[in-house]
Amino acid sequence: MKITDVRIRKLPDEGKMKAIVSVTFDDEIVIHDIKIIEGADSLFIAMPSRKLPNGEFRDIAHPINAESRKKVEDAVFAKYEEIINEPEEKEEVESTQE
């Protein structure tokens, strides 16, 4: 299965949750509400989940193995890096035109 689209909605920088992501596979299936969260040492993704009556959270959709998780993480983080660097690039272009 191939990742064909990654869409990121960046959130304000105040909290630990940095963005909400939708990942499309083979232009046929999409998983919404993947979260990019700032951990103690680095960013990580949290798959969509729901809260159980006992207070625990259970993933609704998730990769089956480490290789699949890495593919999703790599695609999400690559797109996130692209988005967080966009404003800086635009500012650099504007400042060189002055």
Side-chain angles (χ1 to χ4, degrees):
M1 195 174 286
K2 181 178 157 191
I3 296 172
T4 52
D5 190 32
V6 176
R7 295 184 186 221
I8 295 183
R9 188 177 79 225
K10 192 169 179 264
L11 300 175
D13 289 333
E14 294 120 27
K16 291 196 177 278
M17 191 175 343
K18 300 301 179 188
I20 304 292
V21 183
S22 295
V23 177
T24 304
F25 298 87
D26 293 334
D27 288 322
E28 295 178 356
I29 298 171
V30 65
I31 298 177
H32 296 290
D33 296 332
I34 297 171
K35 297 165 191 72
I36 297 177
I37 300 173
E38 182 179 4
D41 298 325
S42 62
L43 296 175
F44 66 93
I45 64 170
M47 298 305 290
S49 61
R50 66 178 152 174
K51 192 173 185 178
L52 301 175
N54 66 3
E56 292 181 21
F57 286 87
R58 180 173 218 104
D59 286 349
I60 295 170
H62 59 88
I64 296 298
N65 55 46
E67 180 182 329
S68 297
R69 176 172 279 279
K70 178 141 178 52
K71 285 181 189 177
V72 173
E73 286 176 343
D74 290 349
V76 167
F77 289 139
K79 186 69 170 184
Y80 182 71
E81 287 295 322
E82 183 181 310
I83 284 175
I84 63 171
N85 290 326
E86 277 180 358
E88 293 172 13
E89 291 171 8
K90 288 179 185 175
E91 288 173 9
E92 287 175 14
V93 170
E94 289 173 4
S95 65
T96 59
Q97 293 176 351
E98 293 176 5

mmCIF file of all heavy atoms in Angstrom, residues 2-50:
data_model
loop_
_atom_site.group_PDB
_atom_site.id
_atom_site.type_symbol
_atom_site.label_atom_id
_atom_site.label_comp_id
_atom_site.label_asym_id
_atom_site.label_seq_id
_atom_site.Cartn_x
_atom_site.Cartn_y
_atom_site.Cartn_z
ATOM 1 N N LYS A 2 0.558 2.190 -0.847
ATOM 2 C CA LYS A 2 1.381 3.375 -1.025
ATOM 3 C C LYS A 2 0.684 4.610 -0.454
ATOM 4 O O LYS A 2 -0.512 4.801 -0.645
ATOM 5 C CB LYS A 2 1.633 3.554 -2.520
ATOM 6 C CG LYS A 2 2.484 4.717 -2.897
ATOM 7 C CD LYS A 2 2.691 4.722 -4.402
ATOM 8 C CE LYS A 2 3.036 6.118 -4.843
ATOM 9 N NZ LYS A 2 2.995 6.262 -6.278
ATOM 10 N N ILE A 3 1.431 5.458 0.235
ATOM 11 C CA ILE A 3 0.897 6.723 0.734
ATOM 12 C C ILE A 3 0.859 7.693 -0.435
ATOM 13 O O ILE A 3 1.887 7.989 -1.042
ATOM 14 C CB ILE A 3 1.748 7.278 1.885
ATOM 15 C CG1 ILE A 3 1.691 6.325 3.078
ATOM 16 C CG2 ILE A 3 1.283 8.680 2.279
ATOM 17 C CD1 ILE A 3 2.647 6.665 4.194
ATOM 18 N N THR A 4 -0.354 8.173 -0.765
ATOM 19 C CA THR A 4 -0.506 9.041 -1.924
ATOM 20 C C THR A 4 -0.793 10.494 -1.561
ATOM 21 O O THR A 4 -0.715 11.359 -2.441
ATOM 22 C CB THR A 4 -1.622 8.507 -2.850
ATOM 23 O OG1 THR A 4 -2.803 8.282 -2.086
ATOM 24 C CG2 THR A 4 -1.192 7.210 -3.514
ATOM 25 N N ASP A 5 -1.122 10.786 -0.311
ATOM 26 C CA ASP A 5 -1.364 12.166 0.084
ATOM 27 C C ASP A 5 -1.232 12.298 1.599
ATOM 28 O O ASP A 5 -1.613 11.391 2.337
ATOM 29 C CB ASP A 5 -2.759 12.615 -0.347
ATOM 30 C CG ASP A 5 -2.979 14.111 -0.178
ATOM 31 O OD1 ASP A 5 -2.016 14.885 -0.321
ATOM 32 O OD2 ASP A 5 -4.133 14.516 0.085
ATOM 33 N N VAL A 6 -0.681 13.423 2.023
ATOM 34 C CA VAL A 6 -0.593 13.757 3.441
ATOM 35 C C VAL A 6 -1.051 15.205 3.573
ATOM 36 O O VAL A 6 -0.494 16.089 2.925
ATOM 37 C CB VAL A 6 0.852 13.610 3.984
ATOM 38 C CG1 VAL A 6 0.927 14.060 5.429
ATOM 39 C CG2 VAL A 6 1.343 12.178 3.830
ATOM 40 N N ARG A 7 -2.065 15.424 4.385
ATOM 41 C CA ARG A 7 -2.567 16.783 4.620
ATOM 42 C C ARG A 7 -2.433 17.098 6.099
ATOM 43 O O ARG A 7 -2.846 16.308 6.943
ATOM 44 C CB ARG A 7 -4.020 16.908 4.190
ATOM 45 C CG ARG A 7 -4.137 16.714 2.703
ATOM 46 C CD ARG A 7 -5.517 16.909 2.218
ATOM 47 N NE ARG A 7 -5.541 16.563 0.815
ATOM 48 C CZ ARG A 7 -6.194 17.238 -0.092
ATOM 49 N NH1 ARG A 7 -6.892 18.287 0.245
ATOM 50 N NH2 ARG A 7 -6.166 16.862 -1.343
ATOM 51 N N ILE A 8 -1.878 18.276 6.373
ATOM 52 C CA ILE A 8 -1.583 18.662 7.747
ATOM 53 C C ILE A 8 -2.270 19.975 8.069
ATOM 54 O O ILE A 8 -2.195 20.928 7.305
ATOM 55 C CB ILE A 8 -0.064 18.779 7.963
ATOM 56 C CG1 ILE A 8 0.563 17.396 7.781
ATOM 57 C CG2 ILE A 8 0.249 19.366 9.341
ATOM 58 C CD1 ILE A 8 2.036 17.322 8.038
ATOM 59 N N ARG A 9 -2.930 19.997 9.217
ATOM 60 C CA ARG A 9 -3.496 21.240 9.747
ATOM 61 C C ARG A 9 -2.688 21.605 10.988
ATOM 62 O O ARG A 9 -2.779 20.963 12.033
ATOM 63 C CB ARG A 9 -4.979 21.051 10.110
ATOM 64 C CG ARG A 9 -5.645 22.362 10.481
ATOM 65 C CD ARG A 9 -7.115 22.194 10.760
ATOM 66 N NE ARG A 9 -7.261 21.662 12.100
ATOM 67 C CZ ARG A 9 -8.060 20.676 12.445
ATOM 68 N NH1 ARG A 9 -8.800 20.060 11.557
ATOM 69 N NH2 ARG A 9 -8.132 20.275 13.700
ATOM 70 N N LYS A 10 -1.831 22.598 10.819
ATOM 71 C CA LYS A 10 -0.951 23.038 11.907
ATOM 72 C C LYS A 10 -1.786 23.742 12.972
ATOM 73 O O LYS A 10 -2.701 24.489 12.663
ATOM 74 C CB LYS A 10 0.120 23.980 11.355
ATOM 75 C CG LYS A 10 1.235 24.254 12.316
ATOM 76 C CD LYS A 10 2.377 24.972 11.598
ATOM 77 C CE LYS A 10 3.476 25.265 12.584
ATOM 78 N NZ LYS A 10 3.420 26.583 13.133
ATOM 79 N N LEU A 11 -1.466 23.489 14.230
ATOM 80 C CA LEU A 11 -2.168 24.097 15.358
ATOM 81 C C LEU A 11 -1.306 25.184 15.985
ATOM 82 O O LEU A 11 -0.089 25.204 15.795
ATOM 83 C CB LEU A 11 -2.496 23.019 16.395
ATOM 84 C CG LEU A 11 -3.395 21.878 15.897
ATOM 85 C CD1 LEU A 11 -3.535 20.817 16.975
ATOM 86 C CD2 LEU A 11 -4.749 22.391 15.473
ATOM 87 N N PRO A 12 -1.911 26.079 16.764
ATOM 88 C CA PRO A 12 -1.107 27.110 17.462
ATOM 89 C C PRO A 12 -0.024 26.445 18.317
ATOM 90 O O PRO A 12 -0.201 25.332 18.814
ATOM 91 C CB PRO A 12 -2.130 27.821 18.346
ATOM 92 C CG PRO A 12 -3.458 27.536 17.717
ATOM 93 C CD PRO A 12 -3.332 26.196 17.052
ATOM 94 N N ASP A 13 1.087 27.149 18.489
ATOM 95 C CA ASP A 13 2.254 26.588 19.172
ATOM 96 C C ASP A 13 2.119 26.465 20.686
ATOM 97 O O ASP A 13 3.049 26.025 21.335
ATOM 98 C CB ASP A 13 3.502 27.423 18.842
ATOM 99 C CG ASP A 13 3.938 27.225 17.405
ATOM 100 O OD1 ASP A 13 3.653 26.160 16.843
ATOM 101 O OD2 ASP A 13 4.574 28.143 16.853
ATOM 102 N N GLU A 14 0.983 26.859 21.261
ATOM 103 C CA GLU A 14 0.879 26.879 22.721
ATOM 104 C C GLU A 14 0.953 25.497 23.383
ATOM 105 O O GLU A 14 1.540 25.338 24.421
ATOM 106 C CB GLU A 14 -0.437 27.551 23.146
ATOM 107 C CG GLU A 14 -0.497 29.002 22.801
ATOM 108 C CD GLU A 14 -1.656 29.314 21.860
ATOM 109 O OE1 GLU A 14 -2.669 28.592 21.865
ATOM 110 O OE2 GLU A 14 -1.529 30.283 21.115
ATOM 111 N N GLY A 15 0.345 24.494 22.811
ATOM 112 C CA GLY A 15 0.275 23.195 23.464
ATOM 113 C C GLY A 15 1.267 22.195 22.920
ATOM 114 O O GLY A 15 2.082 22.482 22.053
ATOM 115 N N LYS A 16 1.174 20.971 23.435
ATOM 116 C CA LYS A 16 2.057 19.897 22.985
ATOM 117 C C LYS A 16 1.593 19.297 21.663
ATOM 118 O O LYS A 16 2.380 18.722 20.933
ATOM 119 C CB LYS A 16 2.148 18.807 24.050
ATOM 120 C CG LYS A 16 2.907 19.295 25.285
ATOM 121 C CD LYS A 16 3.312 18.118 26.140
ATOM 122 C CE LYS A 16 4.115 18.576 27.319
ATOM 123 N NZ LYS A 16 5.512 18.803 27.002
ATOM 124 N N MET A 17 0.283 19.410 21.350
ATOM 125 C CA MET A 17 -0.202 18.915 20.067
ATOM 126 C C MET A 17 0.114 19.966 19.003
ATOM 127 O O MET A 17 -0.305 21.108 19.096
ATOM 128 C CB MET A 17 -1.700 18.619 20.095
ATOM 129 C CG MET A 17 -2.114 17.867 18.871
ATOM 130 S SD MET A 17 -3.833 17.292 18.763
ATOM 131 C CE MET A 17 -4.453 17.361 20.379
ATOM 132 N N LYS A 18 0.890 19.581 18.003
ATOM 133 C CA LYS A 18 1.385 20.515 16.999
ATOM 134 C C LYS A 18 0.557 20.535 15.724
ATOM 135 O O LYS A 18 0.499 21.545 15.032
ATOM 136 C CB LYS A 18 2.843 20.196 16.648
ATOM 137 C CG LYS A 18 3.771 20.281 17.846
ATOM 138 C CD LYS A 18 3.715 21.672 18.442
ATOM 139 C CE LYS A 18 4.600 21.807 19.663
ATOM 140 N NZ LYS A 18 4.411 23.075 20.338
ATOM 141 N N ALA A 19 -0.072 19.397 15.378
ATOM 142 C CA ALA A 19 -0.824 19.338 14.130
ATOM 143 C C ALA A 19 -1.753 18.129 14.122
ATOM 144 O O ALA A 19 -1.538 17.171 14.860
ATOM 145 C CB ALA A 19 0.132 19.263 12.940
ATOM 146 N N ILE A 20 -2.761 18.222 13.245
ATOM 147 C CA ILE A 20 -3.672 17.112 12.976
ATOM 148 C C ILE A 20 -3.445 16.718 11.515
ATOM 149 O O ILE A 20 -3.373 17.576 10.632
ATOM 150 C CB ILE A 20 -5.147 17.531 13.165
ATOM 151 C CG1 ILE A 20 -5.386 18.108 14.561
ATOM 152 C CG2 ILE A 20 -6.084 16.375 12.859
ATOM 153 C CD1 ILE A 20 -5.266 17.129 15.680
ATOM 154 N N VAL A 21 -3.366 15.415 11.261
ATOM 155 C CA VAL A 21 -2.947 14.926 9.950
ATOM 156 C C VAL A 21 -3.975 13.949 9.378
ATOM 157 O O VAL A 21 -4.575 13.171 10.115
ATOM 158 C CB VAL A 21 -1.586 14.199 10.063
ATOM 159 C CG1 VAL A 21 -1.081 13.744 8.708
ATOM 160 C CG2 VAL A 21 -0.564 15.069 10.779
ATOM 161 N N SER A 22 -4.132 13.990 8.052
ATOM 162 C CA SER A 22 -4.890 12.984 7.312
ATOM 163 C C SER A 22 -3.933 12.349 6.315
ATOM 164 O O SER A 22 -3.210 13.051 5.602
ATOM 165 C CB SER A 22 -6.062 13.621 6.563
ATOM 166 O OG SER A 22 -6.989 14.153 7.465
ATOM 167 N N VAL A 23 -3.912 11.020 6.273
ATOM 168 C CA VAL A 23 -3.029 10.294 5.363
ATOM 169 C C VAL A 23 -3.890 9.437 4.437
ATOM 170 O O VAL A 23 -4.744 8.680 4.905
ATOM 171 C CB VAL A 23 -2.032 9.395 6.142
ATOM 172 C CG1 VAL A 23 -1.161 8.597 5.181
ATOM 173 C CG2 VAL A 23 -1.165 10.227 7.069
ATOM 174 N N THR A 24 -3.650 9.587 3.126
ATOM 175 C CA THR A 24 -4.395 8.816 2.126
ATOM 176 C C THR A 24 -3.495 7.714 1.573
ATOM 177 O O THR A 24 -2.324 7.945 1.286
ATOM 178 C CB THR A 24 -4.857 9.731 0.971
ATOM 179 O OG1 THR A 24 -5.629 10.802 1.522
ATOM 180 C CG2 THR A 24 -5.700 8.968 -0.036
ATOM 181 N N PHE A 25 -4.083 6.532 1.407
ATOM 182 C CA PHE A 25 -3.371 5.373 0.877
ATOM 183 C C PHE A 25 -3.991 4.985 -0.467
ATOM 184 O O PHE A 25 -5.218 4.829 -0.568
ATOM 185 C CB PHE A 25 -3.475 4.186 1.843
ATOM 186 C CG PHE A 25 -2.850 4.461 3.178
ATOM 187 C CD1 PHE A 25 -3.584 5.061 4.189
ATOM 188 C CD2 PHE A 25 -1.528 4.134 3.421
ATOM 189 C CE1 PHE A 25 -3.013 5.323 5.427
ATOM 190 C CE2 PHE A 25 -0.944 4.394 4.648
ATOM 191 C CZ PHE A 25 -1.693 4.993 5.650
ATOM 192 N N ASP A 26 -3.139 4.822 -1.481
ATOM 193 C CA ASP A 26 -3.555 4.373 -2.821
ATOM 194 C C ASP A 26 -4.710 5.196 -3.394
ATOM 195 O O ASP A 26 -5.511 4.677 -4.175
ATOM 196 C CB ASP A 26 -3.950 2.893 -2.792
ATOM 197 C CG ASP A 26 -2.775 1.979 -2.513
ATOM 198 O OD1 ASP A 26 -1.629 2.375 -2.820
ATOM 199 O OD2 ASP A 26 -2.990 0.881 -1.975
ATOM 200 N N ASP A 27 -4.820 6.458 -3.004
ATOM 201 C CA ASP A 27 -5.917 7.323 -3.454
ATOM 202 C C ASP A 27 -7.289 6.695 -3.209
ATOM 203 O O ASP A 27 -8.256 6.999 -3.912
ATOM 204 C CB ASP A 27 -5.782 7.673 -4.951
ATOM 205 C CG ASP A 27 -4.639 8.637 -5.205
ATOM 206 O OD1 ASP A 27 -4.429 9.542 -4.372
ATOM 207 O OD2 ASP A 27 -3.957 8.483 -6.233
ATOM 208 N N GLU A 28 -7.377 5.807 -2.214
ATOM 209 C CA GLU A 28 -8.636 5.090 -1.970
ATOM 210 C C GLU A 28 -9.086 5.100 -0.515
ATOM 211 O O GLU A 28 -10.278 5.050 -0.240
ATOM 212 C CB GLU A 28 -8.510 3.634 -2.431
ATOM 213 C CG GLU A 28 -8.315 3.491 -3.918
ATOM 214 C CD GLU A 28 -8.137 2.053 -4.346
ATOM 215 O OE1 GLU A 28 -8.086 1.160 -3.478
ATOM 216 O OE2 GLU A 28 -8.049 1.808 -5.556
ATOM 217 N N ILE A 29 -8.152 5.129 0.415
ATOM 218 C CA ILE A 29 -8.490 5.037 1.841
ATOM 219 C C ILE A 29 -7.780 6.168 2.564
ATOM 220 O O ILE A 29 -6.608 6.439 2.298
ATOM 221 C CB ILE A 29 -8.035 3.686 2.439
ATOM 222 C CG1 ILE A 29 -8.766 2.528 1.754
ATOM 223 C CG2 ILE A 29 -8.254 3.653 3.945
ATOM 224 C CD1 ILE A 29 -8.219 1.171 2.131
ATOM 225 N N VAL A 30 -8.484 6.820 3.492
ATOM 226 C CA VAL A 30 -7.861 7.904 4.256
ATOM 227 C C VAL A 30 -8.034 7.643 5.751
ATOM 228 O O VAL A 30 -9.062 7.117 6.178
ATOM 229 C CB VAL A 30 -8.438 9.285 3.856
ATOM 230 C CG1 VAL A 30 -9.892 9.408 4.203
ATOM 231 C CG2 VAL A 30 -7.647 10.415 4.481
ATOM 232 N N ILE A 31 -7.007 7.975 6.506
ATOM 233 C CA ILE A 31 -7.087 7.946 7.967
ATOM 234 C C ILE A 31 -6.961 9.382 8.435
ATOM 235 O O ILE A 31 -5.970 10.057 8.156
ATOM 236 C CB ILE A 31 -5.980 7.074 8.587
ATOM 237 C CG1 ILE A 31 -6.113 5.625 8.132
ATOM 238 C CG2 ILE A 31 -6.040 7.162 10.123
ATOM 239 C CD1 ILE A 31 -5.017 4.713 8.629
ATOM 240 N N HIS A 32 -7.995 9.877 9.129
ATOM 241 C CA HIS A 32 -8.021 11.230 9.671
ATOM 242 C C HIS A 32 -7.610 11.221 11.136
ATOM 243 O O HIS A 32 -7.614 10.181 11.785
ATOM 244 C CB HIS A 32 -9.434 11.817 9.581
ATOM 245 C CG HIS A 32 -9.936 11.996 8.192
ATOM 246 N ND1 HIS A 32 -9.436 12.935 7.324
ATOM 247 C CD2 HIS A 32 -10.914 11.350 7.510
ATOM 248 C CE1 HIS A 32 -10.086 12.862 6.178
ATOM 249 N NE2 HIS A 32 -10.987 11.904 6.260
ATOM 250 N N ASP A 33 -7.314 12.384 11.645
ATOM 251 C CA ASP A 33 -7.080 12.618 13.080
ATOM 252 C C ASP A 33 -5.831 11.947 13.644
ATOM 253 O O ASP A 33 -5.795 11.591 14.819
ATOM 254 C CB ASP A 33 -8.302 12.240 13.917
ATOM 255 C CG ASP A 33 -9.508 13.101 13.597
ATOM 256 O OD1 ASP A 33 -9.303 14.257 13.169
ATOM 257 O OD2 ASP A 33 -10.638 12.628 13.763
ATOM 258 N N ILE A 34 -4.803 11.798 12.809
ATOM 259 C CA ILE A 34 -3.495 11.410 13.335
ATOM 260 C C ILE A 34 -2.915 12.684 13.937
ATOM 261 O O ILE A 34 -3.005 13.755 13.347
ATOM 262 C CB ILE A 34 -2.584 10.861 12.214
ATOM 263 C CG1 ILE A 34 -3.193 9.596 11.609
ATOM 264 C CG2 ILE A 34 -1.173 10.604 12.740
ATOM 265 C CD1 ILE A 34 -2.483 9.104 10.358
ATOM 266 N N LYS A 35 -2.353 12.595 15.123
ATOM 267 C CA LYS A 35 -1.860 13.781 15.810
ATOM 268 C C LYS A 35 -0.328 13.793 15.839
ATOM 269 O O LYS A 35 0.285 12.757 16.065
ATOM 270 C CB LYS A 35 -2.399 13.829 17.233
ATOM 271 C CG LYS A 35 -3.912 13.950 17.281
ATOM 272 C CD LYS A 35 -4.425 13.634 18.679
ATOM 273 C CE LYS A 35 -5.915 13.493 18.684
ATOM 274 N NZ LYS A 35 -6.410 12.287 18.042
ATOM 275 N N ILE A 36 0.244 14.978 15.636
ATOM 276 C CA ILE A 36 1.676 15.165 15.855
ATOM 277 C C ILE A 36 1.796 15.815 17.226
ATOM 278 O O ILE A 36 1.227 16.878 17.470
ATOM 279 C CB ILE A 36 2.310 16.058 14.779
ATOM 280 C CG1 ILE A 36 2.189 15.395 13.407
ATOM 281 C CG2 ILE A 36 3.780 16.343 15.124
ATOM 282 C CD1 ILE A 36 2.729 16.234 12.262
ATOM 283 N N ILE A 37 2.521 15.154 18.115
ATOM 284 C CA ILE A 37 2.631 15.596 19.503
ATOM 285 C C ILE A 37 4.103 15.780 19.859
ATOM 286 O O ILE A 37 4.957 14.987 19.467
ATOM 287 C CB ILE A 37 1.972 14.576 20.450
ATOM 288 C CG1 ILE A 37 0.485 14.445 20.088
ATOM 289 C CG2 ILE A 37 2.161 14.970 21.910
ATOM 290 C CD1 ILE A 37 -0.251 13.366 20.819
ATOM 291 N N GLU A 38 4.355 16.839 20.634
ATOM 292 C CA GLU A 38 5.710 17.091 21.116
ATOM 293 C C GLU A 38 5.934 16.284 22.389
ATOM 294 O O GLU A 38 5.282 16.502 23.399
ATOM 295 C CB GLU A 38 5.885 18.580 21.398
ATOM 296 C CG GLU A 38 7.266 18.957 21.859
ATOM 297 C CD GLU A 38 7.396 20.450 22.102
ATOM 298 O OE1 GLU A 38 6.402 21.175 21.993
ATOM 299 O OE2 GLU A 38 8.511 20.869 22.409
ATOM 300 N N GLY A 39 6.874 15.337 22.312
ATOM 301 C CA GLY A 39 7.216 14.534 23.477
ATOM 302 C C GLY A 39 8.369 15.165 24.239
ATOM 303 O O GLY A 39 8.811 16.272 23.930
ATOM 304 N N ALA A 40 8.881 14.462 25.218
ATOM 305 C CA ALA A 40 9.977 14.968 26.037
ATOM 306 C C ALA A 40 11.243 15.207 25.207
ATOM 307 O O ALA A 40 11.940 16.201 25.405
ATOM 308 C CB ALA A 40 10.270 13.985 27.166
ATOM 309 N N ASP A 41 11.521 14.294 24.265
ATOM 310 C CA ASP A 41 12.752 14.394 23.478
ATOM 311 C C ASP A 41 12.534 14.733 22.010
ATOM 312 O O ASP A 41 13.441 15.241 21.359
ATOM 313 C CB ASP A 41 13.525 13.072 23.560
ATOM 314 C CG ASP A 41 13.941 12.740 24.980
ATOM 315 O OD1 ASP A 41 14.260 13.671 25.734
ATOM 316 O OD2 ASP A 41 13.937 11.544 25.333
ATOM 317 N N SER A 42 11.358 14.407 21.478
ATOM 318 C CA SER A 42 11.121 14.623 20.051
ATOM 319 C C SER A 42 9.626 14.579 19.749
ATOM 320 O O SER A 42 8.813 14.306 20.627
ATOM 321 C CB SER A 42 11.837 13.539 19.237
ATOM 322 O OG SER A 42 11.309 12.272 19.558
ATOM 323 N N LEU A 43 9.303 14.821 18.485
ATOM 324 C CA LEU A 43 7.918 14.711 18.043
ATOM 325 C C LEU A 43 7.576 13.240 17.831
ATOM 326 O O LEU A 43 8.437 12.430 17.494
ATOM 327 C CB LEU A 43 7.721 15.456 16.727
ATOM 328 C CG LEU A 43 7.920 16.965 16.752
ATOM 329 C CD1 LEU A 43 7.818 17.523 15.331
ATOM 330 C CD2 LEU A 43 6.911 17.634 17.649
ATOM 331 N N PHE A 44 6.295 12.911 18.009
ATOM 332 C CA PHE A 44 5.825 11.572 17.669
ATOM 333 C C PHE A 44 4.410 11.679 17.134
ATOM 334 O O PHE A 44 3.763 12.717 17.286
ATOM 335 C CB PHE A 44 5.914 10.609 18.869
ATOM 336 C CG PHE A 44 4.994 10.943 20.013
ATOM 337 C CD1 PHE A 44 3.729 10.375 20.099
ATOM 338 C CD2 PHE A 44 5.391 11.819 21.018
ATOM 339 C CE1 PHE A 44 2.885 10.679 21.159
ATOM 340 C CE2 PHE A 44 4.565 12.119 22.085
ATOM 341 C CZ PHE A 44 3.304 11.547 22.154
ATOM 342 N N ILE A 45 3.940 10.621 16.469
ATOM 343 C CA ILE A 45 2.568 10.618 15.989
ATOM 344 C C ILE A 45 1.727 9.728 16.891
ATOM 345 O O ILE A 45 2.203 8.719 17.411
ATOM 346 C CB ILE A 45 2.439 10.186 14.517
ATOM 347 C CG1 ILE A 45 2.885 8.745 14.291
ATOM 348 C CG2 ILE A 45 3.164 11.149 13.601
ATOM 349 C CD1 ILE A 45 2.545 8.214 12.894
ATOM 350 N N ALA A 46 0.474 10.133 17.064
ATOM 351 C CA ALA A 46 -0.506 9.333 17.799
ATOM 352 C C ALA A 46 -1.635 9.027 16.831
ATOM 353 O O ALA A 46 -2.191 9.940 16.205
ATOM 354 C CB ALA A 46 -1.018 10.092 19.011
ATOM 355 N N MET A 47 -1.940 7.778 16.685
ATOM 356 C CA MET A 47 -2.991 7.369 15.765
ATOM 357 C C MET A 47 -4.354 7.752 16.346
ATOM 358 O O MET A 47 -4.484 7.966 17.559
ATOM 359 C CB MET A 47 -2.910 5.859 15.522
ATOM 360 C CG MET A 47 -1.604 5.408 14.867
ATOM 361 S SD MET A 47 -1.216 6.233 13.309
ATOM 362 C CE MET A 47 -2.457 5.538 12.242
ATOM 363 N N PRO A 48 -5.386 7.844 15.488
ATOM 364 C CA PRO A 48 -6.711 8.197 15.990
ATOM 365 C C PRO A 48 -7.176 7.172 17.021
ATOM 366 O O PRO A 48 -6.959 5.975 16.853
ATOM 367 C CB PRO A 48 -7.597 8.179 14.752
ATOM 368 C CG PRO A 48 -6.818 7.526 13.678
ATOM 369 C CD PRO A 48 -5.377 7.575 14.067
ATOM 370 N N SER A 49 -7.788 7.665 18.081
ATOM 371 C CA SER A 49 -8.211 6.768 19.155
ATOM 372 C C SER A 49 -9.513 7.254 19.766
ATOM 373 O O SER A 49 -9.974 8.364 19.490
ATOM 374 C CB SER A 49 -7.123 6.683 20.228
ATOM 375 O OG SER A 49 -6.907 7.960 20.786
ATOM 376 N N ARG A 50 -10.085 6.401 20.607
ATOM 377 C CA ARG A 50 -11.271 6.808 21.361
ATOM 378 C C ARG A 50 -11.073 6.402 22.810
ATOM 379 O O ARG A 50 -10.330 5.462 23.125
ATOM 380 C CB ARG A 50 -12.532 6.205 20.778
ATOM 381 C CG ARG A 50 -12.577 4.706 20.912
ATOM 382 C CD ARG A 50 -13.854 4.158 20.375
ATOM 383 N NE ARG A 50 -13.554 2.803 19.933
ATOM 384 C CZ ARG A 50 -14.420 1.956 19.514
ATOM 385 N NH1 ARG A 50 -15.670 2.293 19.449
ATOM 386 N NH2 ARG A 50 -14.066 0.756 19.138
#
